[in-house]
Amino acid sequence: MPAKTAQKTPKKPLQRDYTELMRNLKTQSPDWVVNRLTVDADIYRNQPELLRYSRDLWQTNPYFIAYGDEMAVNVHGPFGIRLRMRIMETEDRVVNSPEEKAHLAAHWRRRDNANLFLKRKGRPALFDRTYNERKAIVQAGTPDVFANTYIERKWTEWQRKENCTVTGRLSYNESRQLRLRSCARDGDHFIRLVRNAKYAFGFKIQHINSEWCDWKLNMVVPEKDENGGNIIRAGIEYTPDGLEIVAYHFIKASPTQWQVAPSSMPVGKGSHERIVANDIIHYARFAHNCDATRPAPWACAVMSNARQLAKYTEAAVVAARVGACSATYFTADVDGPDGMGTASADPRDLNQQMMQMTPGGMIGLPPGVKPIINNPNNPNQEFGAFRNENLREFCAGLPGASFPVIGQNYAEINFSAGRLDRLSTTGAWQMLQEFDIDAAERRIFEEWLKMALTVQAIKLPLAKFEKFNKPHFQGRRWPGVDPEKEIRAAASAVANKFTSRTDVIESGVCGESGDFEDTILKLAEEEMMLESLGMSCATTADTAQMDDEKTADELDNEDAKATAKEEA
C-alpha cells in the first residue's frame, strides 16, 4: 500500500491592500501618533500657542528673518506688482476732452515719426493710425490709449503712503509686503476696505492682524436677532448652510489695547465689531485644506527643527568660547583639624565660585577645591555639516525658500545646482505672486477704481466702469543664471516661431519685464537719434558660434577648481 503523501499548505498570497499597509505601519512605527481631529478642531485647540511660537521665530530666528526678506524681494521686489491697463474702445466716439486730445496727439506723433524713419529706410510702416485728429474720432476695437495711461498714472499716485493706508505710515508696496509676511507668520491676515469721500481717491485700506478676528467666537446667532440662524465659526459669520461668508467679527479696540493681548481683553455683549464681508479681504492660503476656516502659520512644519537648530548653535558657540578661554588656577592644601587630613571646602566658598570665563584669567580657589578642566572640543568639523542638513530640511518646509540664500552658503553649489535651485524657487515665487494677485491685488484695484470714478478723482464716467476695469498685473521677473545663454535661447525660440517677442520681453529674460510696443518704439527713437548725430547704429551683439560656448560641466569644473584653489 503506497504511503500517503503529506499535502502542502498553500502559501498565503502577499497582500497589497491598505489593510496590510496599516498593519505594517503600526508594527514598524509604533511611536507614530496620528491626528484624529478635523483641521478646524486641531487648529482651534492650538491656535494661541501656534501664533505665539510662530511670531517668536519670526522675530528672533535669523533664518526666518532671512526667509521673510527673501520672500519680500522675490514676490514683490522694489517696484511691486506692475499694472498694465488693457482697455479697448467699445465703439467709435468723438473725443471732447482737451487733455485727451493732447495725449492722443503726442501718442501718434511718436508713431508717425517712427513710420517716417522706416519709410526713409525703405521699410514698411509699423503703426497704422487709428485716430482721426482732424475729426477727433477714435475707432472701436483699438486700445484706449488715454484711459490706459491715465489710470496707470493715478494708480501710481494712490500708492503713496498718505493716499493708500488709513494710518499714513505705509506705502502700497510696503503694504503688499506686510500682508504677505503677516499671512506667512500668522496663517492669515485681514484687510479692511475703507470708503470715504473725504479721501483723495475716496478709498484707503486698513491692515488688521489675525488675533483681532476673535478665534473664540463660535456660536449660532439667535433667531430673534437680525441675522438669526447664521453660524459664526472662529470669528467668521456664515449663512445657515455654512457655505457663504456674510461678515467678520473683530474685537473692538480700546485705549489700553497696546498693554494686553486681544485674547486677554474682556469679551461680552458689545465687545465685537461686525464688518460685512464686502468690506474685508481675508488674506490666506487655502490650497492645502479646503475645510480650514482659518489656516495655521506656515512655519508649523519646521518650528521644532528651527528651535533645536537655534539652541544647538547657541550651545556650540558658548562651548567654543569656553574652550577658547584659557585660565590659570591657584590652589592651596591646608591641614584639617586633626593635623593630618585636608580641610574640606566651605560650601559658602563654593557658592561664590560661579564666575564668567575670561581669556587668560588667573583664579584663586579656596582650600580643598580642585579644578576640573572641561574641554568642550568646540567648534568642530561636524558643526557646519549638521547645520547645513538642518537648513535644507528647514527650506524644504517653506515655499520658495532657497538653501544657498537663507544659509548664505554658496560655496557648496556649482553652476548646474545653482540653476536648478533658481528654477525651482522662482517657480514657487511666481505661485505666491499669483496667490497675492488673486487674493488681494485685483480686488483692491477694483474697489479703488470704483471709488476713484465715484468721487471723480479719475475724471472718467462711472457708467463705463466695466470698460475701464481691464487690469493686467505683472509680477517681477528674474534674469537667468547665465543671461547670455538665456538671451540666445530666447532669440532662437523667436527665430523658429516657438514664441513671440511680446512673451520674451514680458518674461524679463533681460531683467525686469517690459512692454513690447514701448520697447520697439524706444529702439526706433534711439536709432533716429543716433542717426541724426552721425553715430553708428550697429549693435554689439556677440556673434560667437554656439560650439565655442562652455557647457554646464565645464562651468562646474571651473567652479570646483576655483574652490580648491581658495581652500589651498
Side-chain angles (χ1 to χ4, degrees):
M1 185 175 179
K4 294 182 178 179
T5 57
Q7 294 183 353
K8 294 183 178 180
T9 304
K11 291 184 178 181
K12 185 178 179 180
L14 184 63
Q15 293 187 5
R16 295 291 185 181
D17 57 8
Y18 291 131
T19 302
E20 183 68 17
L21 173 63
M22 288 297 101
R23 185 182 298 113
N24 291 338
L25 288 177
K26 291 177 181 179
T27 303
Q28 299 168 6
S29 305
D31 58 341
W32 189 348
V33 181
V34 297
N35 185 6
R36 301 179 184 276
L37 299 174
T38 64
V39 61
D40 269 357
D42 191 15
I43 296 175
Y44 174 74
R45 290 187 179 189
N46 301 285
Q47 188 275 338
E49 285 75 19
L50 286 174
L51 186 60
R52 295 187 194 109
Y53 279 91
S54 178
R55 286 189 172 180
D56 183 76
L57 287 173
W58 280 81
Q59 290 174 359
T60 61
N61 189 292
Y63 300 120
F64 273 96
I65 295 173
Y67 173 68
D69 293 340
E70 184 188 11
M71 183 168 57
V73 167
N74 285 281
V75 176
H76 294 120
F79 306 109
I81 296 174
R82 297 194 175 191
L83 171 69
R84 302 187 192 282
M85 297 302 298
R86 294 182 174 177
I87 306 170
M88 304 296 289
E89 296 289 358
T90 56
E91 58 185 357
D92 293 350
R93 64 180 179 88
V94 177
V95 178
N96 297 312
S97 166
E99 183 181 2
E100 185 173 0
K101 287 181 180 179
H103 181 84
L104 288 172
H107 173 85
W108 283 107
R109 193 178 304 119
R110 291 182 66 191
R111 284 149 181 79
D112 290 343
N113 290 337
N115 284 337
L116 288 174
F117 174 75
L118 293 173
K119 185 177 180 180
R120 290 200 304 269
K121 294 287 187 178
R123 304 176 194 169
L126 183 62
F127 301 100
D128 293 330
R129 176 177 273 273
T130 58
Y131 171 60
N132 188 326
E133 195 166 345
R134 184 175 60 84
K135 296 181 179 180
I137 295 177
V138 292
Q139 300 176 7
T142 59
D144 190 337
V145 294
F146 174 73
N148 287 333
T149 305
Y150 184 39
I151 293 176
E152 288 173 6
R153 187 175 73 248
K154 288 295 184 179
W155 175 247
T156 302
E157 183 181 339
W158 176 78
Q159 294 184 44
R160 298 172 185 168
K161 60 178 64 178
E162 63 270 20
N163 292 332
C164 65
T165 56
V166 293
T167 61
R169 294 186 298 182
L170 296 172
S171 68
Y172 185 55
N173 199 35
E174 291 172 330
S175 293
R176 291 186 182 109
Q177 297 170 19
L178 174 65
R179 72 196 183 203
L180 184 60
R181 194 186 298 261
S182 298
C183 177
R185 182 194 64 201
D186 302 340
D188 60 358
H189 185 68
F190 296 90
I191 304 170
R192 186 174 186 177
L193 311 177
V194 184
R195 306 171 185 85
N196 195 318
K198 70 178 183 180
Y199 299 147
F201 289 86
F203 177 80
K204 289 187 178 184
I205 59 175
Q206 176 189 0
H207 292 279
I208 305 175
N209 275 340
S210 173
E211 65 268 26
W212 292 100
C213 187
D214 194 357
W215 273 90
K216 298 178 181 179
L217 188 62
N218 297 277
M219 59 179 290
V220 177
V221 180
E223 293 291 344
K224 62 181 181 179
D225 292 350
E226 181 181 355
N227 303 291
N230 285 354
I231 301 169
I232 302 177
R233 187 165 61 245
I236 302 177
E237 183 178 338
Y238 294 84
T239 52
D241 56 13
L243 299 178
E244 184 180 351
I245 297 177
V246 176
Y248 296 84
H249 294 258
F250 296 94
I251 300 173
K252 285 185 177 179
S254 69
T256 59
Q257 68 182 37
W258 60 275
Q259 298 176 336
V260 296
S263 57
S264 303
M265 297 178 67
V267 176
K269 187 174 182 180
S271 60
H272 292 86
E273 181 179 4
R274 182 180 185 271
I275 303 177
V276 296
N278 191 45
D279 292 344
I280 292 291
I281 293 176
H282 186 193
Y283 189 81
R285 295 178 71 203
F286 296 94
H288 298 296
N289 198 311
C290 63
D291 287 337
T293 300
R294 298 178 60 182
W298 296 7
C300 289
V302 296
M303 275 184 181
S304 178
N305 281 10
R307 176 64 175 175
Q308 297 302 327
L309 178 60
K311 299 307 291 182
Y312 170 75
T313 304
E314 180 185 356
V317 171
V318 172
R321 182 186 174 198
V322 172
C325 292
S326 60
T328 302
Y329 297 92
F330 297 95
T331 63
D333 293 334
V334 180
D335 291 341
D338 56 359
M340 297 181 64
T342 303
S344 60
D346 189 336
R348 291 171 297 181
D349 293 335
L350 293 177
N351 291 336
Q352 296 174 3
Q353 295 308 308
M354 300 297 293
M355 61 189 71
Q356 182 175 357
M357 297 296 295
T358 56
M362 294 185 178
I363 304 168
L365 300 177
V369 177
K370 299 291 185 181
I372 298 177
I373 306 301
N374 175 31
N375 184 7
N377 194 27
N378 271 284
N380 57 53
Q381 296 180 350
E382 302 299 325
F383 174 78
F386 180 81
R387 166 191 175 273
N388 290 343
E389 288 304 317
N390 275 269
L391 276 181
R392 288 188 178 95
E393 188 171 347
F394 172 92
C395 294
L398 293 172
S402 171
F403 165 69
V405 175
I406 291 180
Q408 293 294 292
N409 190 335
Y410 299 96
E412 293 189 2
I413 61 171
N414 54 32
F415 177 82
S416 298
R419 185 173 185 275
L420 291 174
D421 179 77
R422 169 66 72 86
L423 292 173
S424 175
T425 54
T426 52
W429 296 133
Q430 285 180 307
M431 290 180 65
L432 287 179
Q433 287 175 350
E434 290 302 313
F435 155 72
D436 184 78
I437 291 170
D438 292 338
E441 191 77 6
R442 182 171 287 107
R443 185 174 172 193
I444 289 175
F445 172 81
E446 291 177 353
E447 297 296 334
W448 165 82
L449 179 61
K450 191 179 298 182
M451 287 305 301
L453 293 172
T454 300
V455 301
Q456 282 297 285
I458 295 178
K459 300 186 183 305
L460 295 172
L462 176 61
K464 293 187 177 182
F465 170 76
E466 293 300 328
K467 171 193 171 182
F468 299 132
N469 186 26
K470 295 295 184 292
H472 172 71
F473 297 104
Q474 176 70 55
R476 71 155 295 187
R477 293 296 180 261
W478 306 264
V481 178
D482 190 341
E484 182 179 356
K485 290 184 178 179
E486 299 280 351
I487 292 171
R488 288 184 178 179
S492 176
V494 170
N496 289 284
K497 307 297 187 294
F498 296 147
T499 188
S500 67
R501 292 173 175 82
T502 301
D503 292 338
V504 170
I505 292 173
E506 289 186 353
S507 70
V509 68
C510 301
E512 286 292 336
S513 61
D515 180 78
F516 173 71
E517 185 172 338
D518 287 344
T519 300
I520 61 174
L521 195 56
K522 288 177 183 177
L523 290 173
E525 290 174 339
E526 287 177 359
E527 193 170 343
M528 285 188 286
M529 186 176 295
L530 290 170
E531 188 177 271
S532 66
L533 296 174
M535 300 175 66
S536 172
C537 299
T539 65
T540 57
D542 186 8
T543 57
Q545 297 296 322
M546 294 296 291
D547 56 2
D548 292 334
E549 295 178 0
K550 295 179 180 179
T551 64
D553 291 338
E554 292 172 339
L555 291 171
D556 291 343
N557 292 334
E558 288 185 1
D559 291 344
K561 291 178 181 178
T563 303
K565 186 176 180 181
E566 290 177 0
E567 292 176 351

